[in-house]
Amino acid sequence: MRAFVVDSFTDSAFSGNPAGVVLLDAPAEVEWMQSVAAELQHSETAFVVVGGPGDEPKPLRWFTPTTEVPLCGHATLATAHVLGGDQRFDTRGGVLTCTAQADGWIEMDFPVDRAEPVEPPEALAAGLPGITIEEAAQGETKVLALAASAAEVRAVRPDFEALAEIPSGGVIVTAPGDRPGIDFVSRVFAPQVGIPEDPVTGSAHCLLANWWAVQLGRDEHDTTFVGEQASQRGGIVQMALRGHRVGLRGRAVTVLRGELLA
């Protein structure tokens, strides 16, 4: 089986978010896919069946080192990049369409994640020392915390044990952008699913795009944003909000290709 490592949401190797991509001729056993993801140790590894009819969406699944996840942006981008850009995937999150752009970017059509305001869980403040939590919200799988400034987001050193106590698929901390061309910055921590910090998280931007549109009073049906995920590796996500859907745009770089033997 052919396997790849692809850096997503970047145009430079060794930045953005690395994803494993494994091309399958037929569906594989869950236990085997989980073992491969644990071996590769990327935040997500994608497994895509390429042996089916050419006009049908290709089955696609994503695994962290410890569990399967229902939606993943950067590994979808990586998979589309490996397969040439224009693709449709059959996933637990529905059919996802990827379209190659003339400028070398790939746009992914994803469902919007709408967050509702909540009282900040006690573990949220403990897990984000130095962050002034001005608001909190709960999305479908992740908790969002609004920080007082981008500087706080960039500087935070999380307590992962505290964050792991929050019953969710991860924690997003965000603030308005602090440089031209960036609407907001964010970081994502998901020790609950075996990812202390996710370098660049496409699925988080399904929530961030809609949440920032509401915060800024912008039209949810025709709004574009640029987000910077301010992890150590860093990455840029362009978003086009279209009601119940959001186009996530990014670039990707293949850094390794080989053959999976086990």
Side-chain angles (χ1 to χ4, degrees):
M1 285 160 287
R2 288 173 290 166
F4 303 79
V5 174
V6 177
D7 289 343
S8 294
F9 294 115
T10 182
D11 57 4
S12 302
F14 314 122
S15 59
N17 199 353
V21 178
V22 178
L23 307 187
L24 304 171
D25 291 328
E29 294 291 334
V30 169
E31 293 79 4
W32 178 83
M33 291 188 286
Q34 186 64 76
S35 295
V36 172
E39 181 81 5
L40 294 181
Q41 283 292 305
H42 296 302
S43 54
E44 273 92 6
T45 296
F47 297 84
V48 59
V49 179
V50 296
D55 57 347
E56 293 294 323
K58 296 176 175 64
L60 175 65
R61 298 172 76 168
W62 313 276
F63 290 79
T64 78
T66 62
T67 190
E68 185 173 8
V69 293
L71 192 67
C72 178
H74 87 280
T76 302
L77 175 59
T79 305
H81 170 76
V82 166
L83 297 177
D86 291 337
Q87 295 292 325
R88 289 194 304 148
F89 298 117
D90 183 10
T91 79
R92 288 173 59 187
V95 174
L96 305 179
T97 300
C98 299
T99 306
Q101 308 291 298
D103 57 5
W105 293 60
I106 294 174
E107 179 171 306
M108 304 177 291
D109 178 57
F110 269 46
V112 161
D113 184 358
R114 300 184 186 278
E116 295 295 331
V118 295
E119 286 296 319
E122 289 186 10
L124 192 61
L128 298 173
I131 295 289
T132 304
I133 300 175
E134 300 196 333
E135 295 182 40
Q138 175 68 61
E140 183 174 347
T141 62
K142 294 179 175 63
V143 173
L144 179 147
L146 174 64
S149 69
E152 287 188 352
V153 174
R154 296 182 188 280
V156 66
R157 297 294 181 264
D159 181 333
F160 294 116
E161 290 187 6
L163 292 181
E165 296 177 5
I166 300 172
S168 75
V171 172
I172 305 167
V173 58
T174 187
D178 56 353
R179 61 189 180 94
I182 300 297
D183 292 294
F184 58 81
V185 300
S186 66
R187 289 172 69 185
V188 177
F189 311 108
Q192 300 92 332
V193 294
I195 308 169
E197 179 166 8
D198 199 21
V200 193
T201 316
S203 60
H205 287 79
C206 296
L207 187 157
L208 285 162
N210 181 74
W211 193 84
W212 276 108
V214 173
Q215 293 294 307
L216 299 175
R218 291 166 65 175
D219 186 352
E220 296 180 41
H221 297 279
D222 186 18
T223 296
T224 59
F225 294 98
V226 178
E228 176 190 357
Q229 196 154 328
S231 65
Q232 183 176 0
R233 291 176 64 101
I236 300 295
V237 183
Q238 296 182 354
M239 293 145 280
L241 188 60
R242 306 179 182 115
H244 296 293
R245 307 292 294 182
V246 58
L248 303 178
R249 299 181 73 237
R251 305 191 74 170
V253 179
T254 299
V255 296
L256 183 150
R257 61 170 58 93
E259 184 179 358
L260 188 60
L261 301 177

